[in-house]
Structure formats: C-alpha cells, structure tokens
Amino acid sequence: MASEAYEYLSESPQPNETEFLFTSMQHDLRATGKVAEIITPAFGGGCEHSNFQQALRGAMEQARQAGQVNPIVVGAIPFDLTQASCLYIPAQYQWVERSEPIHVSRETKDSPTLLNQRSIPDEQGFKKAVQHAIVNFQHSDIRKAVLSRICELEFSEPVDVQRLLASLRVQNPSGYQFRVPLSEGGELIGVSPELLLRKQGAQIESNPLAGSAKRQADPEQDRAIADRLMTSPKDQYEHHLVIDEIRRVLEPHCAELDIPDHPSLMSTSALWHLSTQIKGRLRNPELNALQLACQLHPTPAVCGYPTGQARKLINLVEPFERGLFTGIVGWCDSQGNGEWVVTIRCGIVQHKNIRLFAGAGIVEASQPDAEWNETQAKLGTMLNACGLGWINSLDTPA
C-alpha cells in the first residue's frame, strides 16, 4: 500500500478485463484497468479536509505522475458511508457516443434455467417491517423510512452480463446505466432513473424521485394511475420530504437554486415516478462533485427523514446489510466535474447467481400490501432483463 487511504496499483488493462460503464446524457463512459483504488469510507466526504477527500486527492496525484492529464475516479459508494468505498482511477477511459438500444430476445430458450429463488425478507416479514415502521412513526419524530428487500436468484448457467445490459437499455433507454467490477468478485449492474448530482463547472443538477406507481398495459388505466399519483397526498408528502432536505443541503452552496414548487411525472417502462428537476449555480465552483454528493447522500428517497433516526430504524428492521444498494455510482474528474446517480434498479452478478434489490418509502399513511407490491414492481426491471417477468408474483416456474 502506498498509503493507508488508497492503494497505488499502476496496472494496465488486461485482455478481456471487465469494463466500467456509465451512461451519461448522450455519451457512454467506458474505462478499463486500475491505477489506484480508493477504499476509504466516504463518511465526512463532504468536507475538503476529510480522510476521504485526502485519499481522493492522493490517488489523483499518483495518476498525474503516471502521465494522466485529467484523471477520473469511477465506481460506487455504499448506502452506509462508514463502509469501504468501491472506487478506483482507471488506467484508460473514453467517452463514446451513446449507442442505440439493441433488441434482445426474451424467449425462454435464450435464458438459463432458474434453479432457486428467495426473497429476504419474505412477503410476511416485509409487511411486518412496514407495520413496525408505521407504529414507530406514531411514537417518534421519524416521518419516513425506506425499507428494502433482496431477491436472490440462482441459474443453471453463468449469467450473461452483456445480455442483461442490453435488455436494461431497451427497457429504459434514457436511464443511467452502470456496470462496476467489484474487487471481491462479481459485478454491480443496473439502470438508475435517479440523478443525485451532476456538476459541470459552477452548474449543478439533481433529479430526485419519490412516490411511485406501477404502469398499466391499458393506456387509459395507465393515464389514470399517473393522474392518481400526481394527486396522492401520501406520495406528495413523501416527495416533499426529499425535496426539503435537498434544498437544505444545496442552498448554502448556491448563488442560484431553482426548485419547482410541484413535482412532475417521470416514466420508465415499469413505473411512474414523482420527479423534481433541480438546477443551481455554485458560489464556489471549486467544490468537487463528490463533496456535494457525499453531503446529499443518503437522501430521504432511499433512507428516510430525519436521516439519522431513519437509518437506525432501517438497521433495526432490515435483516441484511444493503452494501452498495441505495448507495451512489458514477464518476468525478480531477477538475471536480462529475455525475452520481442513486444505485437502484440494480443487482450484483456473481457467476450463476444474481442478487436483486428493491425498496419502498414508508410513511404513516402507507399500507403494507401496497408497499410490498411497489417492491415487486421495482424488481420488474431487473427481472425482465433476466427473462423472468413472471416472477413478480414469486411463483415457482413451471
């Protein structure tokens, strides 16, 4: 180790090495190899003098000494900022024009056989957790908590990651697609609809989502679902908790901050979302994208409100560690520009196994059955990519 903060690797990309991928606006960021790895937890990373920012600067400097003009850090940061980061500076990276989605056959013969599946917690356990949270709201200052679940799948053959990525792009061509090789093996893949932060010079953007409804095949029913979401007091309340917290974090940093008074609708192939497009201009353009992202993360969209108390409730009722799920994934260059999205609609692939994640925002007006159904709908994106749309009811395949 060249430092306690980061590991200097000085590696060149190897043949067939797993590539980092991040889709951004009209371009794809593709990166291979590792010059330096940053595992320092991002806790306190919003501060310029934090251990995390020192590790980031040290790794960038090593990359410059290795000949890179504008080093870039890529990877993921977990939900719990006290856990190790999964970041590195690639040996090579390039921006390429964003490719058009490629049609992917979903015929059963193209997919390996599903051998085993399980939900953690199961349906009864998740609904009990929702009830637990609602009771807690009535006796505490917590107003929202996001509860999640895991769906574990085992196949007869290794998972075809390229095929999954192609299917995800077809399902959500405007989403932020990502592929992150993990140091312990496996890959984090997904297509997030939610932008936490984009920074270019002094300009910043954020597009938080909170409040969701499953889309319908019938156009009239689908429109009715969207209209109902826009007028739902429960979903509007949940959304405004997120917006108010983001305003609290960004306002002190901004000379200008534009936050619409009311959310709009965003759609993917599976869901309608309440969405707010936030734009601002920083007082200090020298702040790097990761400083701001670490101050925003985790928002009430993936944790709850107030953040600290909601996290304690999550730790109490969720029977697993989230790891990278509901963390952030993206990039930041040495000039401070970057993009970070919320790590949702995702899974971790390891050989024949894939672990999928989904969550739902719980407020006092929540109904356990509805929240379970929301997680089912959110799992749909990744399940469809696996050729398993039928599993939304968690039935056993014929």
Side-chain angles (χ1 to χ4, degrees):
M1 296 284 286
S3 157
E4 292 181 358
Y6 63 90
E7 184 176 2
Y8 179 59
L9 301 172
S10 188
E11 293 180 358
S12 298
Q14 300 299 314
N16 302 318
E17 186 168 28
T18 299
E19 176 184 67
F20 172 88
L21 169 69
F22 184 86
T23 61
S24 169
M25 302 293 285
Q26 302 303 315
H27 296 85
D28 291 349
L29 170 62
R30 299 179 180 275
T32 52
K34 290 184 181 180
V35 171
E37 196 165 26
I38 303 166
I39 60 173
T40 305
F43 182 76
C47 174
E48 179 184 3
H49 304 294
S50 65
N51 290 337
F52 176 74
Q53 288 292 332
Q54 290 181 42
L56 180 61
R57 287 193 295 272
M60 291 281 193
E61 181 57 31
Q62 289 282 6
R64 286 192 194 92
Q65 292 178 12
Q68 294 195 18
V69 176
N70 181 22
I72 190 170
V73 61
V74 300
I77 289 173
F79 169 71
D80 183 349
L81 292 173
T82 66
Q83 294 180 353
S85 298
C86 180
L87 302 171
Y88 66 94
I89 295 181
Q92 296 179 351
Y93 71 90
Q94 63 176 333
W95 292 96
V96 298
E97 185 174 348
R98 192 166 182 174
S99 58
E100 290 296 320
I102 301 171
H103 175 72
V104 179
S105 172
R106 294 184 184 178
E107 296 179 16
T108 304
K109 64 183 177 63
D110 290 338
S111 303
T113 303
L114 179 65
L115 300 179
N116 293 296
Q117 51 152 311
R118 66 168 179 160
S119 174
I120 308 171
D122 60 14
E123 182 174 356
Q124 182 180 12
F126 182 82
K127 291 178 179 179
K128 282 184 177 180
V130 173
Q131 292 170 336
H132 185 145
I134 293 170
V135 170
N136 195 286
F137 298 153
Q138 297 165 356
H139 299 89
S140 72
D141 294 329
I142 303 176
R143 295 293 170 260
K144 175 183 177 180
V146 178
L147 301 184
S148 59
R149 49 181 281 238
I150 290 171
C151 180
E152 292 184 336
L153 307 173
E154 180 187 1
F155 293 92
S156 59
E157 300 173 21
V159 175
D160 186 340
V161 173
Q162 291 288 3
R163 186 174 182 276
L164 281 178
L165 290 170
S167 179
L168 290 174
R169 181 160 289 194
V170 169
Q171 290 186 71
N172 189 0
S174 61
Y176 299 90
Q177 192 173 50
F178 50 88
R179 178 183 190 176
V180 184
L182 305 178
S183 57
E184 66 272 21
E187 300 174 64
L188 172 69
I189 66 167
V191 58
S192 176
E194 186 166 2
L195 174 67
L196 179 71
L197 183 84
R198 174 184 296 120
K199 178 183 180 290
Q200 181 67 40
Q203 304 302 314
I204 61 168
E205 296 178 45
S206 182
N207 185 196
L209 309 178
S212 305
K214 184 178 180 179
R215 299 201 63 182
Q216 304 297 309
D218 179 84
E220 289 188 9
Q221 293 180 1
D222 192 47
R223 187 70 250 175
I225 287 290
D227 292 342
R228 195 177 308 151
L229 179 63
M230 280 294 288
T231 58
S232 163
K234 178 259 183 187
D235 291 289
Q236 290 282 341
Y237 173 70
E238 181 184 342
H239 191 84
H240 280 291
L241 286 176
V242 177
I243 301 306
D244 289 346
E245 178 64 9
I246 290 177
R247 178 186 286 108
R248 183 193 69 79
V249 174
L250 291 182
E251 214 163 38
H253 297 296
C254 290
E256 300 173 6
L257 186 63
D258 179 20
I259 302 180
D261 293 333
H262 304 287
S264 57
L265 285 170
M266 172 194 280
S267 66
T268 67
S269 61
L271 292 160
W272 287 105
H273 295 285
L274 291 181
S275 161
T276 295
Q277 293 274 358
I278 298 172
K279 295 185 178 181
R281 181 171 61 85
L282 294 172
R283 300 179 194 277
N284 176 14
E286 299 302 314
L287 287 172
N288 68 55
L290 266 173
Q291 281 179 267
L292 291 169
C294 288
Q295 290 184 38
L296 287 168
H297 175 65
T299 73
V302 295
C303 181
Y305 184 84
T307 303
Q309 294 178 54
R311 186 186 288 111
K312 289 180 181 178
L313 179 59
I314 289 168
N315 290 340
L316 179 65
V317 301
E318 283 189 354
F320 55 84
E321 286 280 350
R322 290 190 184 182
L324 295 175
F325 170 56
T326 63
I328 56 176
V329 59
W331 64 274
C332 179
D333 68 16
S334 62
Q335 298 172 357
N337 303 312
E339 290 174 295
W340 295 89
V341 302
V342 182
T343 315
I344 53 177
R345 312 297 182 271
C346 65
I348 291 178
V349 177
Q350 289 186 306
H351 196 47
K352 298 181 181 180
N353 300 288
I354 183 166
R355 173 176 269 208
L356 310 180
F357 309 90
I362 314 302
V363 295
E364 193 168 350
S366 292
Q367 299 294 324
D369 287 347
E371 301 304 335
W372 171 262
N373 291 337
E374 181 173 326
T375 65
Q376 294 281 70
K378 289 177 176 176
L379 284 171
T381 298
M382 290 296 297
L383 289 171
N384 286 335
C386 295
L388 300 173
W390 52 264
I391 207 175
N392 265 342
S393 61
L394 286 186
D395 292 332
T396 301

